[in-house]
Amino acid sequence: MRLDKTALNRRRAMAFGAAGTLTAKQLPAQKTVSPPLLDQSTQSKISVLLPRDRVPLSFVIDDSTCLVNMGHFCTPQFATAWPDRAEYKQPWQEWPREIPDSFVREFGEWCSENGVKGKYSIVPYPACVGWMDRELPGWSRRQLQDSLKLVRDLMVPNWDIHPEMITHTRVIDLKTGRPMQEINKATMENSFPQEKKSVDELAAYLAYALRILKNCGLPCEGVTTPGGFGNAVKKELPAAVHQAVRDVFGTELPHYFKYVEMGDDTEPKLENLSALDSTYPQVTANVLAGTGDWFGGWQGIRTIEQQRYLSPDGQTGRMADLIRARQPAVMLCHWPGMFNNGSKDGFHAFQSIVRTIASVYGKQTVWMKLSEIGRYWAAKRLTKITLTDGKISLIAPFATQCFTLSIPRSSNIAASNQLTLSHGSQSQLIKRVSSEWKLNSNTFFVDHQSVKVCFDLTKGISSIQTS
């Protein structure tokens, strides 16, 4: 399977063999966003750091859903649309039709115990097998409801839930709810649409998927595009994501996952910006992955290349490169590549990587959901900050946790043992800590050159000053 030459967002092809290569993805041109809007006199005095001054980590899981093994059910449908591709001439009949809830529980509980966060797809009508909010033929209604409850209870606290369009295979006629009659690349979601669509048309398709998950009691702040979905409408897509997610879920800051960036800049891109000075600013966060899929791939059968993520000693691999460069380090996989048709080799490799990150880079990193990363960058780029006589004043269009600032040590803040964070009539103490690795919400640390202040930023006007 080759990558799309213009966008490289056919993420199924990220699981290349050892001889394969992956080049940096070309992102669509978007309005650029300047650094934080600091007062001119503040520009050389204060900067916004990473959350807790740590590198964000996240884990993106594509092609997951309740019970259905997408590798088994997608392969024959892709083979019909692309009959010449060797990738689809696999013995899919021999693979299990189910990725059981016992594995979801094993995976989710281990990740919770180890602090892992990320994005977990729930395909609403997976490969046209059945509807998540109605029936899933081959499983009882009780089995489906129990599976959804497991996702709500176990996954939702630490994972963003995304629809990965409606079916991840066939394009659905929104008027009838049935797949298009023809089966070819033009009627497969992975390469849809083939022609220009308006923002409203795209948003309607996204909203259809989102409403199914809302019916299931699953919260969504974003969406994932399957394969090359949206390649022909890259400029319209961020606005459509914003419109659909806000309309269905009332989300203040929608985000989406589409792109893999193998270059030097994996920071989220802020798109579709407008009304930034209003009560309801409009921003869509485009959150990127920074690795290919080097686990078992979307069918769960590829050779696992664990060292491409991270070597056993933690010194080489893409994750080591990103952490040392202090860039968001977001790993990518496909759910069948964690389960591996029952062997769970991908999951075991992932566990090893997480343990190595914890032992080598634990004090330099923090696990976050995609929505949390997108929200932090929106606050980082768009919050107006001034520093006057030791008082920090902030005007924030979005709230975020663990917002972290660096202030020159010459400020009188450096001599304090506690600070006061004020927002309206409410105030909270920010206490000094003795070590940088202890930096967390409502703490600050003083080193030889700067004061690092970490606090939960509220939307609107707030200030920090000596108590």
Side-chain angles (χ1 to χ4, degrees):
M1 172 64 62
R2 63 176 178 83
L3 294 176
D4 181 274
K5 291 182 179 179
T6 58
L8 295 182
N9 50 19
R10 177 73 167 94
R11 289 187 308 279
R12 297 192 181 284
M14 296 305 172
F16 285 130
T21 59
L22 182 64
T23 56
K25 180 179 295 296
Q26 297 295 315
L27 298 178
Q30 297 289 342
K31 179 181 178 181
T32 58
V33 179
S34 61
L37 303 172
L38 305 179
D39 178 85
Q40 188 173 6
S41 62
T42 306
Q43 192 75 40
S44 61
K45 299 180 181 179
I46 189 167
S47 59
V48 183
L49 304 177
L50 297 173
R52 298 176 61 192
D53 199 21
R54 297 185 177 204
V55 174
L57 305 172
S58 198
F59 192 38
V60 167
I61 300 175
D62 281 358
D63 292 18
S64 43
T65 193
C66 292
L67 300 168
V68 173
N69 180 0
M70 295 291 283
H72 172 91
F73 285 98
C74 288
T75 299
Q77 295 183 42
F78 289 146
T80 303
W82 291 281
D84 297 329
R85 293 188 180 179
E87 182 179 14
Y88 305 139
K89 298 177 181 179
Q90 298 289 339
W92 59 269
Q93 298 94 333
E94 301 173 7
W95 305 336
R97 68 188 183 94
E98 175 182 295
I99 298 180
D101 281 347
S102 59
F103 179 65
V104 178
R105 186 176 298 280
E106 178 185 5
F107 176 89
E109 288 179 348
W110 188 88
C111 287
S112 180
E113 291 167 0
N114 288 273
V116 176
K117 294 184 177 183
K119 185 275 297 183
Y120 187 77
S121 288
I122 294 291
V123 182
Y125 183 28
C128 304
V129 174
W131 299 96
M132 287 292 117
D133 63 344
R134 291 293 185 269
E135 300 289 343
L136 196 58
W139 293 268
S140 69
R141 176 169 287 193
R142 172 51 56 191
Q143 287 175 308
L144 174 57
Q145 291 175 342
D146 287 347
S147 187
L148 286 166
K149 185 177 186 301
L150 180 63
V151 173
R152 288 193 298 267
D153 294 347
L154 180 60
M155 301 302 288
V156 165
N158 295 317
W159 301 81
D160 287 306
I161 304 300
H162 282 193
E164 205 160 337
M165 289 314 104
I166 301 172
T167 71
H168 205 315
T169 54
R170 305 288 306 285
V171 173
I172 296 299
D173 183 338
L174 300 187
K175 295 180 180 178
T176 65
R178 298 178 66 184
M180 298 293 186
Q181 184 173 352
E182 297 296 323
I183 304 177
N184 52 53
K185 68 177 184 179
T187 62
M188 300 294 281
E189 286 187 340
N190 286 53
S191 55
F192 180 80
Q194 295 286 301
E195 68 288 329
K196 284 293 183 181
K197 296 283 186 182
S198 69
V199 169
D200 288 347
E201 288 174 308
L202 282 174
Y205 202 85
L206 300 175
Y208 195 97
L210 288 161
R211 289 192 189 96
I212 297 169
L213 297 194
K214 187 175 184 179
N215 292 341
C216 297
L218 295 172
C220 298
E221 294 188 32
V223 302
T224 291
T225 62
F229 183 99
N231 281 358
V233 287
K234 293 173 188 174
K235 292 182 180 179
E236 293 81 4
L237 185 60
V241 170
H242 192 278
Q243 180 176 312
V245 178
R246 180 170 278 195
D247 284 353
V248 177
F249 284 96
T251 302
E252 180 186 45
L253 179 58
H255 69 280
Y256 71 101
F257 170 61
K258 176 177 176 63
Y259 299 103
V260 172
E261 174 56 66
M262 295 300 290
D264 298 330
D265 180 8
T266 59
E267 295 188 9
K269 312 305 177 189
L270 303 184
E271 302 168 348
N272 184 45
L273 288 82
S274 66
L276 296 181
D277 293 326
S278 72
T279 305
Y280 301 102
Q282 179 171 301
V283 178
T284 305
N286 169 7
V287 187
L288 316 174
T291 76
D293 179 354
W294 304 312
F295 291 111
W298 73 273
Q299 293 169 318
I301 61 172
R302 290 189 181 273
T303 300
I304 295 167
E305 301 175 89
Q306 180 177 334
Q307 293 204 35
R308 295 185 72 177
Y309 292 105
L310 193 64
S311 61
D313 64 2
Q315 300 308 305
T316 60
R318 177 64 172 166
M319 293 297 284
D321 293 343
L322 290 171
I323 292 169
R324 282 197 287 263
R326 297 187 63 76
Q327 287 287 306
V330 179
M331 282 191 288
L332 170 65
C333 84
H334 294 79
W335 189 231
M338 287 283 99
F339 185 61
N340 309 99
N341 295 327
S343 75
K344 300 186 282 191
D345 290 341
F347 178 41
H348 298 152
F350 173 68
Q351 289 175 305
S352 177
I353 292 167
V354 171
R355 292 188 184 105
T356 300
I357 290 174
S359 64
V360 179
Y361 302 106
K363 293 181 180 180
Q364 304 174 44
T365 57
V366 58
W367 286 95
M368 302 174 71
K369 298 191 286 187
L370 295 193
S371 60
E372 293 170 337
I373 295 174
R375 177 171 286 274
Y376 193 91
W377 254 259
K380 184 175 188 286
R381 296 299 188 191
L382 301 175
T383 299
K384 298 178 180 179
I385 307 171
T386 57
L387 174 62
T388 307
D389 297 328
K391 179 180 179 180
I392 307 169
S393 300
L394 308 105
I395 304 176
F398 299 102
T400 192
Q401 294 182 329
C402 295
F403 197 64
T404 306
L405 303 177
S406 176
I407 306 163
R409 199 181 191 284
S410 58
S411 166
N412 60 7
I413 289 177
S416 303
N417 286 321
Q418 64 183 28
L419 309 173
T420 299
L421 170 64
S422 300
H423 178 71
S425 61
Q426 299 181 340
S427 63
Q428 192 163 0
L429 292 180
I430 301 178
K431 298 183 178 181
R432 186 166 179 165
V433 292
S434 58
S435 300
E436 187 172 7
W437 68 269
K438 293 181 180 179
L439 202 61
N440 211 328
S441 287
N442 298 323
T443 65
F444 71 102
F445 171 72
V446 181
D447 62 20
H448 296 296
Q449 295 182 331
S450 65
V451 180
K452 297 177 181 178
V453 186
C454 180
F455 57 98
D456 291 341
L457 179 68
T458 52
K459 181 175 180 176
I461 300 173
S462 59
S463 65
I464 297 173
Q465 57 190 338
T466 56
S467 298

